[in-house]
Amino acid sequence: IMKLHKFLIVLLAIFSFTFHSCDLAELEADPNRATNSPASLILNGALNNLYTECWNETMRRNQYFCINYNYYGTNEYWSGSASLDYTRLKNVQKMEEEAIRGGAAVVNPYSALGKFFRAYHFVNMTQKVGDLPLGEALSGLENTTPKYATQKEIYIQVLKWLDEANTDLASLIAKGGQKADGDWFYGGDLTKWQKLVNAYRLRVLVSLSKKDADADVKVKAQFAEILGNPSKYPLMTSIDDNFQFLALGGQAAYYYPKNPSNYGFDALRENTSKLYIDLLKEYQDPRLFVVAEPAEALVKAGKAPTAFDAFAGASTGESLDDMSYKAQIGEYSLINRKRFYATFEGEPIVQAGYPEMCFNIAEGINRGWATGNAEDWYKKGINASMAFYGISTGNLTVFFAVPGAALGNFTTQTVPVNLDTYYAQANVKYAGNNTTGLEQILKQKYLAMAQGSDLEAYYNYRRTGIPAFLTGVGIGNAGKIPLRYQYPNSEDITNPANLAEALQRQYAGKDDIFGKMWLIQ
């Protein structure tokens, strides 16, 4: 099914032309133009709109890797406006309508997933800018100047949609035989979707940690309810439940972003980041050997290639000129070329996964939102992340590219791994439901989300300051990391009065990228 994506997306573009057209009674319908499409086809495109890639500027802003060659980009953060998802939401709305038109019941797989999609897209948008049009947002030409809902109102609605999606999915699953045709993430399996909905709801609740005392949002009560009633709110149980994208090695449009065809272009022009590598080194973490290569200059100076101090990442805040020079002389570790460039399939690109869910549960328990064993969930998250990288107790075989050699020329090393010994380290073993324990949870969650989950690593940093992102001239904006995007320029043209009101309410009238939205106050 996934091989048809591009073709299907083109069809969606054709169909969507009719979605936004005026109802002009005096014009005769064109019998040659499609006015409807199957809900399954629209679902295919809606899923494509949920998928976010890896090894891109988003992951540089999460400080997982750096670019050291300015022809391909920089490590700077944004300074302007966000793109919003309202067109994508219109397609979700159309999917729901087409399901009903095709004879589905009011509660059907597409309507249930539609609630999740609404929640997902509104969270994506509000985390970028703040307040947004909500109730009037999808009325089209009936209302071209929708009022802005507050961010608090948006989150209350998002949590309501997610709760309803869980209830609807449960009722459909109980009936049996229900499936979402066109689903290339989970193959239409509604039990997988129900687990995702609840895991995602936990992510949303944790993102509201600064509002856990708000009586209207009810963060603590909702979190406790989900954990306390697993039969009503089933959760992911392993990385097999991950919401992830699998690249198709047989079709160029769906190659993994790093692959043999672009090895010669950027394999030496991108290197690991200091934040990511230093954290792995701090924990003497075997994931280091899987995701990175030792710095060539350090190995030449006598460091063993499997020694933790043979690895070095570049600060995202470093001048690009300095980084480029140091990378050229081998001072920085490259990403592991065997893992990331050797095939066209690469590794799964996780959008929301089981390890993150485990750490979110551990965080909520650490904060006192629910009873439970935070350490147990913390350990589950670590072990699941290790499993994602194929790491278990025993001998780990790792591959490092031979300096200057063509792709495919690797040296093999063996690293002994004992996960019990790893966990027993003082800086890894859970310190308890206190601030140190919370810091451990957040750092391990950061490691587990590498090259996935869109901007979630940045959002966790923005919310907690952990791990502390690196700054400097290389990030732009006078060396400061922005706290938000600006609203799209089109809003100032099409909806200026309501935009002005929202800006005054939130940021003293200024569309300031350093303004603090309600979520993080």
Side-chain angles (χ1 to χ4, degrees):
I1 295 174
M2 289 165 57
K3 294 182 179 180
L4 299 176
H5 285 174
K6 275 205 165 180
F7 171 70
L8 295 173
I9 292 168
V10 170
L11 285 180
L12 278 175
I14 296 171
F15 292 138
S16 65
F17 180 78
T18 64
F19 297 170
H20 307 287
S21 60
C22 301
D23 182 15
L24 302 179
E26 67 273 17
L27 296 181
E28 184 176 345
D30 183 351
N32 297 314
R33 175 176 295 172
T35 57
N36 300 105
S37 56
S40 59
L41 178 60
I42 305 176
L43 171 61
N44 190 286
L47 292 173
N48 212 67
N49 289 334
L50 295 185
Y51 158 60
T52 56
E53 292 187 344
C54 59
W55 300 112
N56 55 14
E57 64 180 14
T58 296
M59 295 306 153
R60 296 200 297 272
R61 290 163 178 172
N62 286 332
Q63 300 203 4
Y64 288 124
F65 82 111
C66 303
I67 201 161
N68 60 49
Y69 189 67
N70 63 9
Y71 182 82
Y72 290 96
T74 72
N75 302 303
E76 295 181 0
Y77 284 76
W78 61 88
S79 59
S81 61
S83 59
L84 300 182
D85 297 351
Y86 286 109
T87 298
R88 295 175 173 185
L89 284 163
K90 289 290 286 184
N91 286 336
V92 171
Q93 186 179 59
K94 186 63 177 176
M95 176 188 73
E96 297 166 336
E97 293 171 357
E98 289 301 305
I100 297 297
R101 189 188 66 81
V106 173
V107 175
N108 60 75
Y110 301 100
S111 66
L113 295 187
K115 290 175 179 177
F116 171 74
F117 295 160
R118 279 177 163 78
Y120 189 96
H121 285 303
F122 269 103
V123 167
N124 181 49
M125 294 190 293
T126 191
Q127 285 193 103
K128 290 179 179 178
V129 296
D131 296 359
L132 286 166
L134 178 63
E136 303 173 348
L138 302 178
S139 54
L141 292 176
E142 296 175 9
N143 184 355
T144 58
T145 57
K147 290 186 177 296
Y148 281 60
T150 66
Q151 191 171 53
K152 175 178 175 177
E153 291 169 336
I154 292 168
Y155 271 100
I156 290 173
Q157 180 60 63
V158 160
L159 292 167
K160 183 173 182 289
W161 276 325
L162 292 172
D163 194 26
E164 290 174 352
N166 174 69
T167 299
D168 291 351
L169 287 166
S171 69
L172 292 167
I173 293 166
K175 291 178 182 178
Q178 301 290 311
K179 186 178 179 182
D181 291 330
D183 169 22
W184 46 268
F185 265 109
Y186 285 138
D189 187 343
L190 299 187
T191 62
K192 295 277 191 180
W193 278 103
Q194 188 182 18
K195 293 177 181 180
L196 170 64
V197 165
N198 294 319
Y200 183 77
R201 189 174 168 201
L202 290 175
R203 176 197 281 186
V204 173
L205 289 168
V206 166
S207 76
L208 289 160
S209 63
K210 289 186 175 294
K211 301 300 177 184
D212 64 358
D214 191 300
D216 299 319
V217 184
K218 300 181 177 66
V219 171
K220 297 178 184 179
Q222 292 193 57
F223 189 91
E225 182 183 18
I226 294 170
L227 287 196
N229 196 343
S231 60
K232 182 177 180 181
Y233 299 105
L235 294 168
M236 295 176 175
T237 57
S238 73
I239 58 175
D240 292 337
D241 291 327
N242 283 355
F243 187 55
Q244 61 190 23
F245 177 82
L246 299 173
L248 291 176
Q251 189 173 356
Y254 297 102
Y255 287 166
Y256 188 74
K258 302 299 178 197
N259 60 71
S261 68
N262 58 35
Y263 178 81
F265 292 97
D266 57 24
L268 301 180
R269 293 162 180 162
E270 295 172 343
N271 48 258
T272 57
S273 76
K274 180 176 175 61
L275 176 63
Y276 183 41
I277 295 303
D278 279 4
L279 191 53
L280 290 167
K281 289 167 63 177
E282 175 187 340
Y283 289 154
Q284 301 281 286
D285 196 308
R287 284 172 287 190
L288 176 64
F289 306 117
V290 178
V291 302
E293 295 179 1
E296 185 178 341
L298 293 176
V299 174
K300 287 181 177 178
K303 301 290 186 184
T306 54
F308 286 97
D309 59 0
F311 293 76
S315 170
T316 299
E318 185 175 41
S319 158
L320 194 57
D321 289 339
D322 290 344
M323 188 186 300
S324 178
Y325 171 73
K326 292 176 183 177
Q328 287 176 22
I329 63 174
E331 289 192 14
Y332 294 137
S333 294
L334 299 174
I335 64 176
N336 192 301
R337 287 169 279 178
K338 169 64 173 177
R339 182 173 182 87
F340 298 116
Y341 281 102
T343 71
F344 290 99
E345 291 82 5
E347 65 184 27
I349 305 172
V350 180
Q351 313 296 299
Y354 173 71
E356 180 203 343
M357 185 201 78
C358 292
F359 293 123
N360 284 336
I361 293 174
E363 179 176 345
I365 296 172
N366 177 286
R367 293 181 180 277
W369 296 351
T371 58
N373 190 326
E375 182 176 21
D376 185 44
W377 285 105
Y378 171 70
K379 288 181 71 173
K380 285 180 180 178
I382 292 173
N383 290 335
S385 180
M386 294 289 184
F388 178 83
Y389 290 104
I391 298 172
S392 59
T393 295
N395 288 326
L396 174 66
T397 301
V398 294
F399 301 86
F400 301 134
V402 175
L407 179 63
N409 193 348
F410 300 102
T411 179
T412 304
Q413 303 284 335
T414 300
V415 179
V417 174
N418 187 311
L419 293 183
D420 290 335
T421 302
Y422 171 81
Y423 187 77
Q425 296 178 97
N427 58 354
V428 176
K429 184 173 174 55
Y430 188 59
N433 294 341
N434 48 46
T435 55
T436 301
L438 179 59
E439 181 176 344
Q440 290 173 314
I441 292 167
L442 292 167
K443 286 181 175 179
Q444 286 286 353
K445 180 161 65 170
Y446 175 81
L447 293 177
M449 291 194 299
Q451 299 307 327
S453 300
D454 200 32
L455 275 170
E456 195 62 22
Y458 159 79
Y459 291 139
N460 275 271
Y461 155 74
R462 183 180 67 177
R463 175 175 63 91
T464 68
I466 300 170
F469 278 24
L470 304 179
T471 59
V473 295
I475 68 170
N477 296 313
K480 294 175 61 180
I481 297 176
L483 296 178
R484 59 179 293 273
Y485 290 82
Q486 293 177 328
Y487 287 99
N489 295 331
S490 58
E491 278 295 276
D492 199 31
I493 299 171
T494 61
N495 198 10
N498 288 319
L499 172 61
E501 180 185 26
L503 287 173
Q504 188 61 45
R505 179 170 61 231
Q506 299 174 92
Y507 311 117
K510 184 180 179 182
D511 200 356
D512 183 5
I513 61 172
F514 300 106
K516 291 186 72 172
M517 60 182 64
W518 171 85
L519 182 67
I520 56 173
Q521 290 177 1

